[in-house]
């Protein structure tokens, strides 16, 4: 059967071998069989394409072969899809198939598929039998227009892509555009990048068509063709014809170039436009980002390189960017599709340059890039050599202006078109009737956003483009707008209008969208949205006005801000009221759309002073140019103009041509450079006749500053005074030109000469003051510009003051400004360009976020160099020296404590100083000493202002004289003055400023009895509220001094455990605030970092992931929950306030709630915390888009002294960079979670993820999702490969899900674990600590160890119960036995050298005898002279030695600290009863506790005297009688003699009678080391004495437990489950006692 098929043929290398059409499969079969006779035809494809098209090819070929009665064979071979098949192994697989099927040299191979298939099969054809014929049948657009054309074939190797291959031309290339109907839209766009590239280098007309007809081209692939429509010309739709023409034209260009330069010696380089940089980006981002997407970004960047070299204009760059966006292609690495990828953080300038170094186009080290000279034309007929510095400047995210005199002085230039006028002109022309040519339109982000939005409001093609259309003339210099007569259509469902941070577009389009009408494919409403900052900028007054006029507008997120949902109801009109005191753009928005209202509009402006009247006048003047006359009404009585406007109903009439003025705000920057450098600059197209208020900048700002200004109607010239001679302005009202205040501010910073007499301020201000007013609206622009200027000028050392509607700047000589400053630009073009002016005279100033200038002057940095003559360098932000942040923090820097009076500053400060061994300074005491009177008296006599000033000076003096190793507690009101706050903020860059936080109710209760300081004179709550933000401003850390639980004597109140028999057991020791103070201040000063010791190579570490919404009800479970683990993960995203539990829509817990939760845990345990804010996309509950809130919480974690901070590497790079500056002693876990299961442990993506995390964190965390056990094997191999490198960081690598549990078992670093007591698991597949230990044991990865107790007699010892219970509870496979011998004999010596020896306890009588068999002793064992613990230790060289330690003293110390009242800060005296080995340990214990005197009593005095010098530094005194003290009575008593040796009654007891006078009325702690009987005489005496209420008793078994827990930790590195073990031990002990 003959099938009518029309094809377009394209010639290459002299043959019409490229055939283009639709539904070509029958045509392909006929053509191949007719013209390429062969014994065998082999079609090779992949599984994806086979499912779609293989059956059709088989049917056609087999039928055609049968119809010819041919003996030829038709074979098919299917390979796996994807780049991995394009390998040596993949090639060999195909060759083996060919050989197995006895294919010969006359065979023809058909490659059906995308670029991978074409490259691979082509290379097979080139080498099989030394070359066989082959046919390309590409199925993707990218392959059709690029890889299939030209004869390049190749495979990949581990060293890189396409490094092994050949040139081998196909006999045919069949381009079947019908295949594209099954191609995903993203893949189609991927191919369109190459189409656009070809047009950009070769054909301007074709490029213009691509710009204008994107929507039509998409229609061709989105509308399936039925009944083979398109196969013939007569059945081909207009959209199909357009698509085929575009494809054929692109192929034609490449075919022409290949014909001239087949082997890529010069001209063929041109098709690599965008590829030099694009390939480098692709090397980092593959496979997540497609080839065409990377090339699209590369095209924009390489066009910018051409612009930087002065070869290409901004118009062309803008057109390329706009065209690519029209096909849904990214144009920047900041595109959200790319920025969210971990690999995006590896797109550093140096990495990209390094990758570009191996580009095949290069000549040695010189890099080559295709340089455009215009759309459709290149500067050379080959790639051009470009210096690295030029490429780096384009790629860098920051810029540095090199100070100097502009080399092009005198400068004459034009600035880009006015943003304000461009946006208004676009709206007017789009709404108008007729065609309008807009000249000098600004080509920038803002105008592109506006144009794109107006296109989105156009009806789809089948409705004949109802709405405005755009096209370009004069190479893009002129925009032709065909007006839509106000006819707009709501976009289709799912389409949002994204406005980035374009405030003008957002305000104008809010009303424009109200004019839109519903179409057949429209959504219910029009949704306009923007980036994070745009969602903060106000639009409420405009929405209120529209709502009151009948328009339905809904806020989709925050009230008063975007995103908005706008219903298609039209604009009602009539009398409209609008509050216009915030933004004139609200007014212009309604004015521009008012002619299309249902009724004539009378617009009344309310709310007081109208802001920026010149911009309203501009709008009215432009409306007049488009045929609509707006009448401003006057007061009939006075004739004065009112803020009321009448706008007639009519359609705009577009003028044939409308010339857009240059931007007057932008003109301020080159004019200011002339002013600051003492040079001359003329700006064209801006003069006295301008519509823009900023045109007055030269006359109203620069002339008073000492510049010579000449201004005509259309031109402005400025000659600056000699450098350094600018005059301050005094008072200036910049309300008519608010955007220009930033430029004025940077000039004012170096205006060190007094203003003219007529401008001098008469209020006592500094002579060099410039006071700018009338700019309040600048707080709600792209950022709070007033605050931005204040903060960034401060980095240069420039003082400022914020005013209600402006600011003051105090000028100083240029030489006094700080150099090397890094300026944060807040993503605000005006901030960046203003500070670039300052950069022309200040060395080393870096402008971050340099691309933000694209909003209004995309080529600013190029024009600065090429037109003004100042060199600009690119700067990589990661390489910036943070000198602007001040000197690095000193480890020994003094700690400053601030907080409300009554918050506990002095108490906490004294404890901190004590634990650190530093000096404590109370500022109030120091103040009283200096002024010889207290604060109360000083204030009463001299008043608060005098005190505040004196207090500030005192602060400076203390910091100057005590810079290190001090803890300084300041008065609560130190933050009341700005000067003191500045001092504290400056100090916070070198040392910790700790804010002690306490609940206001607790403070009120405390201050009711405090009298040492003057009364506030106002409610405490008012003072608290006022000071809170000031404390937040100055603090670097927070210590929470409240938890909401009951505190008794400095300890959390707990209820003792009671057994069934009613026997009350001693409670588990509670944690003192002293311990938390020691942990916190040790950590934040880095004096003693509280990090997990098991987080080391060769050890296993774990953290428990808490999943409670509120920790406080579960604090009693914490000890059991954390047994065995090394840290606790605080999952902030899972915390829920009571309000959140009632209202699930509240997704984020408050900072206060999180801080209180952390504080509650800190009161319970010193275990390190992992502070985690896990987002939804990473498997958590925190909103992905709440970036600011997440970083506020992470900064809170650092302030609270969290030891570890989990930071997702997907967060914005600059925010992570800022966070890392604040981490101090905390460590960062750089984490990435693949919940979708897309990551493969053997792929390139995980290597990139690892590199990103390696550059951010101290610990690397990568979490995948396992679908099979093999995924765990791959993971294990990945970890081994990474940890094999010297200096590699700890890595936590696991798989989620049931199949991934093996990875959790084998992971060594911080394995996240769960516990049966938790309500839920934090992640699927989590195991408990015990489950992992059991599994490790079964796998043979945790060898069972044997532990012993050596001594005699020991058969009733509790130690086996302690340790075997612990092993069982934690799932450890170890055993603890007793070994009772008469001496340290061969049996003991054999046991301690056995391979399975895990450790041993040693008791009497071997504590000294064992020492000679040990290799080393701990300092404590050396000092005590006895060993009770043996630990096998493996040295660095792999040798095992035996180490002796002593935990007796630790057990005593821990038990005493747990009972010692918190108010007992020092121990003036203590007593030890006895003089044996235990007494020696007791002396050591008391000395470690700081006991000032230690009394020893023993029946045999000579034995006691032996202990006097036993512990170096201890003040030991022997006494002859108990109760007769030579000094202070003891506050701690330790009995070390057997209970049988003591008595309470001389007549019936033993030899040592204990008197009642032992226990002083001051109270304290008494310990009896004998643990039988249950109550010894010593403890009974304490319980029954008159002072029993103030004496706390400790039984010997309690000490045994404490020292046992310490032994267990020394042996295993693990924390024992104290409560459960304690219960078991007490149960057995009481049972033995009963027996």
């Amino acid at each position: 059967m003959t099938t009518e098929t029309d094809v377009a043929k394209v010639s290459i290398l002299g043959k019409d071998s490229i055939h283009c059409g639709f539904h070509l499969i029958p045509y392909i079969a006929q053509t191949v069989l007719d013209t390429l006779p062969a014994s065998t035809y082999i079609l090779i494809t992949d599984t994806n394409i086979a499912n779609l098209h293989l059956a059709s090819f088989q049917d056609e070929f087999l039928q055609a072969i049968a119809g010819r009665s041919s003996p030829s064979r038709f074979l098919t071979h299917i390979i796996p899809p994807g780049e991995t098949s394009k390998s040596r192994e993949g090639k060999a697989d195909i060759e083996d198939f060919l050989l197995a099927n006895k294919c010969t040299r006359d065979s023809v191979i058909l490659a059906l598929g995308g670029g991978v298939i074409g490259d691979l099969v082509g290379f097979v054809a080139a080498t099989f039998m030394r070359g066989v014929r082959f046919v390309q049948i590409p199925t993707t657009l990218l392959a059709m227009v690029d890889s299939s054309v030209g004869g390049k074939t190749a495979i990949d190797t581990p060293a890189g892509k396409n490094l092994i291959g050949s040139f081998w031309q196909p006999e045919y290339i069949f381009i079947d555009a019908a295949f594209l109907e099954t191609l995903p839209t993203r893949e189609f766009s991927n191919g369109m990048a190459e189409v656009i590239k070809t047009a950009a280098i070769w054909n301007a007309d074709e490029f213009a068509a691509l710009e204008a007809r994107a929507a039509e081209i998409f229609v061709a692939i989105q509308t399936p063709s039925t009944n083979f429509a398109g196969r013939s010309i007569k059945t081909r739709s207009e959209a199909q014809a357009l698509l085929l023409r575009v494809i054929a034209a692109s192929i034609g260009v490449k075919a022409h170039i290949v014909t001239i330069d087949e082997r890529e010696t010069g001209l063929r380089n041109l098709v690599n436009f965008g590829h030099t940089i694009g390939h480098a980006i692709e090397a980092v981002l593959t496979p997540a980002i497609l080839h065409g997407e990377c090339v699209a970004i590369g095209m924009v960047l390489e066009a910018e390189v051409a612009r930087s070299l002065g070869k290409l204009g901004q118009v062309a760059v803008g057109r390329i960017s706009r065209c690519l966006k029209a096909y849904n292609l990214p144009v920047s690495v900041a595109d959200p599709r790319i920025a969210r990828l971990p690999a995006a953080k590896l797109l550093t300038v140096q990495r990209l340059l390094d990758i570009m170094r191996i580009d095949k186009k290069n000549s040695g080290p010189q890099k080559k890039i295709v340089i455009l000279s215009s759309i459709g034309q290149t500067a050379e007929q080959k790639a051009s050599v470009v210096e690295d510095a030029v490429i780096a400047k384009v790629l860098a995210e920051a810029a540095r202006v090199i100070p100097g005199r502009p080399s092009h002085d005198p400068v004459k230039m034009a600035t880009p078109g006015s943003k304000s006028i461009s946006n208004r002109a676009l709206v007017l022309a789009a709404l108008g009737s007729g065609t309008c040519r807009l000249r000098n339109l600004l080509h920038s982000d803002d105008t592109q956003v506006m144009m794109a939005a107006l296109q989105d409001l156009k009806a789809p093609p089948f409705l004949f483009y109802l709405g405005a259309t755009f096209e370009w003339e004069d190479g893009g210099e002129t925009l032709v707008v065909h007006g839509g007569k106000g006819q707009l259509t709501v976009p289709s469902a799912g389409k949002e209008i994204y406005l980035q941070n374009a405030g003008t577009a957002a305000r104008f389009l809010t009303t424009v969208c109200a004019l839109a009408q519903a179409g057949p494919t429209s959504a219910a409403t029009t949704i306009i949205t923007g980036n994070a900052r745009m969602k903060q900028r106000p639009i409420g007054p405009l929405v209120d006005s529209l709502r009151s006029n009948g328009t339905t507008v809904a806020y989709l997120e925050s009230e008063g801000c975007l995103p908005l949902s706008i219903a298609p109801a039209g604009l009602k009109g009539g009398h409209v009221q609008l509050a216009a005191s915030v933004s004139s753009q609200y007014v212009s928005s309604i004015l521009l759309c008012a002619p299309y209202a249902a009724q004539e509009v009378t617009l009344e402006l309310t709310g007081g002073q109208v802001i920026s009247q010149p911009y309203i006048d501009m709008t009215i003047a432009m409306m007049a140019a488009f045929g609509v006359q707006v009448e401003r009404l006057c007061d009939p009585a006075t004739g004065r103009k009112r803020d009321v406007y009448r706008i007639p109903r009519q359609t705009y009439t577009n003028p044939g041509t409308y010339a857009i003025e240059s931007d007057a705000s932008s003109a301020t920057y080159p004019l200011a450079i002339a002013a600051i450098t003492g040079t001359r600059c003329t700006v064209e197209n801006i003069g006295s006749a301008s519509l823009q208020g900023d045109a007055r900048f030269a006359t109203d700002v620069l002339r008073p500053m000492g510049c010579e200004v000449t201004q005509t109607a259309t031109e402005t010239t400025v000659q600056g005074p000699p450098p350094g001679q600018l005059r301050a302005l005094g008072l200036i009202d910049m309300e008519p030109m608010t955007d220009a205040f930033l430029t004025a501010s940077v000039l004012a910073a170096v205006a060190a000469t007094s203003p003219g007499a007529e401008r001098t301020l008469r209020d006592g201000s500094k002579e060099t003051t410039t006071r700018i007013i009338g700019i309040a609206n600048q707080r709600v622009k792209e950022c709070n510009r007033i605050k931005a200027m204040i903060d960034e000028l401060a980095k240069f050392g420039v003082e400022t003051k914020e005013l209600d509607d402006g600011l003051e700047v105090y000028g100083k000589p240029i030489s006094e400004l700080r150099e090397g400053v890094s300026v944060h630009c807040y993503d605000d073009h005006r901030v960046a360009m203003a500070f670039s002016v300052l950069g022309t005279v200040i060395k080393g100033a870096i402008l971050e976020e340099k691309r933000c200038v694209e909003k209004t002057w995309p080529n600013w940095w190029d024009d600065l160099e090429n037109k003004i003559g100042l060199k600009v360098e690119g700067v990589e932000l990661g390489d910036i020296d943070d000198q602007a942040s001040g000197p690095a923090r000193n480890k020994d820097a003094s700690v400053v404590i601030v907080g409300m009076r009554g918050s506990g500053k002095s108490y906490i400060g004294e404890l901190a100083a004590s634990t650190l061994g530093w000096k404590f300074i109370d500022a109030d005491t120091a103040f009283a000493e200096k002024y010889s009177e207290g604060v109360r008296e000083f204030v009463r006599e001299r008043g608060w202002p005098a005190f505040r000033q004196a207090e500030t000076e005192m602060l400076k003096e203390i910091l100057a004289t005590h810079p290190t190793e001090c803890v300084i507690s300041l008065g609560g009101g130190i933050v009341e003055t700005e000067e003191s706050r500045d001092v504290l903020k400056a100090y916070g860059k070198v040392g910790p400023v700790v804010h002690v936080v306490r609940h206001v109710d607790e403070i009120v209760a405390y201050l009711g009895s405090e009298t040492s300081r003057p009364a506030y004179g106002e409610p405490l709550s008012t003072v608290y509220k006022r000071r809170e933000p000031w404390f937040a401003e100055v603090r670097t850390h927070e210590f929470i001094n409240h938890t909401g639980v009951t505190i008794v004597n400095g300890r959390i109140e707990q209820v003792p455990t009671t057994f069934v028999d009613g026997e009350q057991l001693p409670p588990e020791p509670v944690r003192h605030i002293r311990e938390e103070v020691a942990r916190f201040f040790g950590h934040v000063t880095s004096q003693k970092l509280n990090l997990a010791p098991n987080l080391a190579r060769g050890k296993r570490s774990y953290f428990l992931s808490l999943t409670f919404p509120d920790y406080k009800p579960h604090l009693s479970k914490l000890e059991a929950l954390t047994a065995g683990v090394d840290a606790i993960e605080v999952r902030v995203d899972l915390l829920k306030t009571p309000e959140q539990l009632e209202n699930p829509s509240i997704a984020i817990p408050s900072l206060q709630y999180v801080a209180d939760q952390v504080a509650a845990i800190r009161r319970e345990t010193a275990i390190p915390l992992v502070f985690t804010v896990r987002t939804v996309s990473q498997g958590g509950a925190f909103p992905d888009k709440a970036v600011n809130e997440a970083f506020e919480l992470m900064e809170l974690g650092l302030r609270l002294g969290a030891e570890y901070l989990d930071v997702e590497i997907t967060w914005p790079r600059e925010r992570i960079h800022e966070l890392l500056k604040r981490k101090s002693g905390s460590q960062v876990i750089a984490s990435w979670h693949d919940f979708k299961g897309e990551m493969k442990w053997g792929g390139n993506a995980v290597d990139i993820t690892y590199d990103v995390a390696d550059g951010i964190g101290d610990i690397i965390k990568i979490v995948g999702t396992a679908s099979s056990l093999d995924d765990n094997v791959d993971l294990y191999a990945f970890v081994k490969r990474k940890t094999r490198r010297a200096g590699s960081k700890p890595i936590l690598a696991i798989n989620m899900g049931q199949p991934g549990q093996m990875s959790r078992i084998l992971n060594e670093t911080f394995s996240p674990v769960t516990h049966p007591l938790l309500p839920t698991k934090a992640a699927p597949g989590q195991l408990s600590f015990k489950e992992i230990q059991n599994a490790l044991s079964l796998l043979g990865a945790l060898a069972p160890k044997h532990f012993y107790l050596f001594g005699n007699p020991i058969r009733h010892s509790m130690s086996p119960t302690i340790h075997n219970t612990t092993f069982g509870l934690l799932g450890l496979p170890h055993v603890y036995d007793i070994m009772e011998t008469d001496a340290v004999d061969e049996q003991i010596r054999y046991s301690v050298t056995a391979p399975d020896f895990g450790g041993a306890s040693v008791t009497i009588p071997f504590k000294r005898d064992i020492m000679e068999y040990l290799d080393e002793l701990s300092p404590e064992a050396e000092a005590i002279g006895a060993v009770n613990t043996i630990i096998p230790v493996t040295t660095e060289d792999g040798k095992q030695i035996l180490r002796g330690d002593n935990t007796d003293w630790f057990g005593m110390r821990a038990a005493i600290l747990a009972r010692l009242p918190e108010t007992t800060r020092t121990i003036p005296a203590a007593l030890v009863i006895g003089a044996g080995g235990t007494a020696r340990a007791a002396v050591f214990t008391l000395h470690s506790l700081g006991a000032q005197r230690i009394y020893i009593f023993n029946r045999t005095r000579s034995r006691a005297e032996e202990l006097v010098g036993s512990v170096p530094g201890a003040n030991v005194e022997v006494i002859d009688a108990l109760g007769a003290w030579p000094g202070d009575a003891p506050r701690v008593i330790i009995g070390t003699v057997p209970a049988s040796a003591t008595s309470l009654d001389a007549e019936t007891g033993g030899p040592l009678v204990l008197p009642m006078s032992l226990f002083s009325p001051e109270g304290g702690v008494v310990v009896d080391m004998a643990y039988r009987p249950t109550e010894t005489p010593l403890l009974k005496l304490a319980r029954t004495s008159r002072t029993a209420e103030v004496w706390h008793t400790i039984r010997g078994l309690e000490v045994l437990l404490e020292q046992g827990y310490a032994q267990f930790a020394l042996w295993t590195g693990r924390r024992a489950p104290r409560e459960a073990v304690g219960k078991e031990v007490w149960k057995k002990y009481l049972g033995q006692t009963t027996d």
Side-chain angles (χ1 to χ4, degrees), residues 305 309 353 365-369 384-393:
V305 168
L309 294 170
L353 288 173
Q366 294 181 315
K367 297 179 177 64
K368 289 186 174 182
I369 288 178
S384 305
V385 173
V386 180
E387 297 295 327
D388 278 11
V390 176
I391 303 172
K393 184 174 76 172

Side-chain angles (χ1 to χ4, degrees), residues 421 425 428-429 433-441 473-474 477-481 622 624-627 653-661:
I421 297 176
L428 288 164
S433 171
T435 298
C436 179
R437 286 170 169 77
L438 299 178
R439 302 195 189 279
N440 196 37
L441 182 76
E473 290 182 349
D474 306 327
E477 296 290 341
T478 301
L479 177 67
V480 182
V481 183
M622 291 183 67
F626 282 76
T653 301
N654 285 342
T657 301
Y658 188 86
I660 293 168
E661 284 184 19

Side-chain angles (χ1 to χ4, degrees), residues 1241-1430:
W1241 290 102
N1244 180 56
V1246 70
D1247 281 324
I1248 291 173
T1249 299
Y1250 178 93
D1251 289 346
V1252 174
D1254 190 35
I1256 292 172
D1258 304 286
I1259 300 165
I1260 298 165
K1261 179 181 180 183
I1262 304 176
V1263 180
T1265 299
S1267 57
S1268 70
L1269 291 179
D1270 289 343
D1271 291 325
N1272 301 314
V1273 177
D1274 293 341
L1275 180 155
Y1276 191 74
F1278 170 82
V1279 171
K1280 287 296 181 187
R1281 177 163 56 89
K1282 293 300 183 183
T1283 54
R1284 199 177 298 127
R1285 302 187 307 182
S1288 61
K1289 295 176 180 177
I1291 177 171
L1292 189 176
I1294 56 175
N1295 282 321
M1296 290 178 290
Q1298 196 77 15
Q1301 289 184 329
M1302 179 187 288
S1303 69
R1304 294 180 181 274
I1305 296 165
L1306 297 178
N1307 178 63
E1308 294 184 357
T1309 300
F1310 259 177
S1311 297
V1313 296
T1314 185
H1315 194 282
L1317 293 176
L1318 290 172
T1320 59
K1321 294 181 179 182
Q1326 261 190 2
L1327 300 168
S1328 70
F1329 176 86
K1330 183 177 182 179
E1331 287 173 325
I1332 291 177
Q1333 306 315 302
N1334 286 333
L1336 286 170
S1337 178
L1338 290 171
L1339 291 171
L1342 179 59
K1345 295 287 184 181
H1346 213 135
F1347 296 82
Y1348 299 95
L1349 170 63
F1350 301 143
N1352 190 347
I1354 54 176
R1355 65 180 181 275
H1356 292 299
S1357 172
M1358 292 292 107
S1359 290
T1361 305
I1362 293 174
H1363 296 296
N1364 286 323
T1365 300
T1366 306
F1367 293 150
L1369 289 171
L1370 295 185
L1372 300 175
H1374 311 317
V1375 175
Y1376 186 102
D1377 283 332
I1378 62 171
M1379 185 174 288
E1380 187 172 281
T1381 60
D1382 295 329
V1384 180
D1385 57 11
E1386 191 64 32
Q1387 186 179 1
I1388 290 178
R1389 292 197 293 272
Y1390 173 80
S1391 298
V1392 298
T1393 56
D1396 67 345
F1397 177 64
S1401 310
V1402 183
T1403 188
I1404 55 172
F1406 302 147
K1407 288 189 176 184
R1408 295 182 64 85
D1409 297 346
I1410 196 70
M1411 293 168 68
E1412 65 178 288
Y1413 300 102
L1414 306 178
D1415 298 293
E1416 65 180 34
L1417 299 178
S1418 71
E1420 294 81 7
E1422 287 271 16
I1424 296 169
V1427 166
N1428 82 328
T1429 308
I1430 303 173

Side-chain angles (χ1 to χ4, degrees), residues 833-851:
M833 289 188 277
F835 276 100
S836 69
V837 172
L838 197 55
T840 65
V841 294
I842 304 298
K843 183 179 179 181
I846 294 167
L847 292 311
E848 302 172 11
E849 311 150 278
K850 71 177 177 67
R851 287 195 171 273

Side-chain angles (χ1 to χ4, degrees), residues 676-789:
I676 204 169
T677 60
T679 56
R680 189 176 188 84
C681 177
T682 299
V683 175
E684 302 171 305
N685 202 20
I686 288 291
S688 57
S690 172
L691 293 173
Q692 304 168 75
D694 289 12
R696 295 163 52 180
F697 180 79
T699 56
D700 291 10
V701 175
L702 297 182
R703 183 177 285 157
M705 297 189 85
C707 297
E708 179 186 322
V709 177
T710 305
Q711 190 170 61
T712 67
T714 59
E715 193 173 88
T716 301
T717 300
V718 169
Q719 170 66 56
Q725 294 187 23
L726 285 173
R727 294 200 299 264
L729 279 168
L731 176 66
I732 180 167
D733 185 350
M734 296 192 72
E735 193 274 335
M737 46 178 158
T738 54
D739 281 357
F741 100 89
L742 300 93
T743 318
S745 296
V746 295
L747 293 179
V750 295
T753 305
S754 317
E758 74 285 357
R759 306 186 71 92
T760 301
L761 297 169
R762 310 293 180 186
D763 56 5
S765 299
K766 295 180 181 179
E767 287 187 359
T768 59
T769 299
T770 294
R771 182 179 297 160
I772 302 173
I773 62 172
I775 58 168
N777 71 323
Q778 292 293 304
R779 289 191 175 93
V780 292
K781 293 288 187 174
E782 282 79 348
C783 67
N784 181 340
R785 287 176 173 170
I786 296 174
K787 187 176 188 304
M789 295 307 292

Side-chain angles (χ1 to χ4, degrees), residues 980-1116:
S980 288
R981 295 198 298 273
D982 289 342
V983 171
L984 289 170
K985 283 189 288 185
Y987 184 77
K989 295 177 181 178
V990 295
V993 178
V994 177
H995 178 204
V996 175
V997 180
R998 192 175 186 186
H999 196 279
V1000 66
D1001 293 340
E1002 295 178 31
I1003 295 176
V1004 170
Y1006 168 75
L1007 290 182
S1009 59
E1010 199 263 356
T1011 60
S1012 63
R1013 290 180 63 95
Y1016 285 120
E1018 58 183 319
L1020 176 62
S1021 59
T1022 302
V1023 179
Y1024 192 96
K1025 186 175 181 180
R1026 180 176 70 248
R1027 290 180 182 172
E1028 274 302 284
W1030 291 336
F1031 287 130
E1033 185 182 342
V1034 303
R1035 69 191 173 200
T1036 62
H1037 294 86
E1038 289 179 60
F1039 183 88
I1040 310 297
N1041 198 20
H1042 68 87
T1043 62
V1045 293
T1046 305
I1047 308 293
V1048 178
N1049 290 329
R1051 301 191 301 270
I1052 299 176
E1053 186 176 46
Q1054 294 188 354
V1055 178
T1057 303
T1058 303
F1059 281 118
V1060 176
D1061 295 339
E1063 178 70 31
Q1064 183 171 296
L1065 302 183
E1068 269 297 302
V1070 295
R1071 189 163 184 255
H1072 273 281
I1073 194 171
R1074 173 191 292 273
E1075 296 173 71
E1076 173 53 16
V1077 168
R1079 183 212 66 82
F1080 178 87
F1081 285 90
H1083 191 80
V1084 302
T1085 60
S1086 298
Q1087 292 292 317
K1088 187 178 180 182
L1089 296 175
N1090 188 45
L1091 301 176
N1094 285 329
L1095 200 66
R1097 194 179 293 271
K1099 294 185 177 182
R1100 295 184 182 275
S1101 51
Y1102 305 85
F1103 64 70
L1104 176 80
S1105 301
L1106 288 182
T1107 57
F1108 296 116
D1110 181 354
Y1111 299 152
K1112 292 180 182 179
H1114 307 284
L1115 292 176
S1116 61

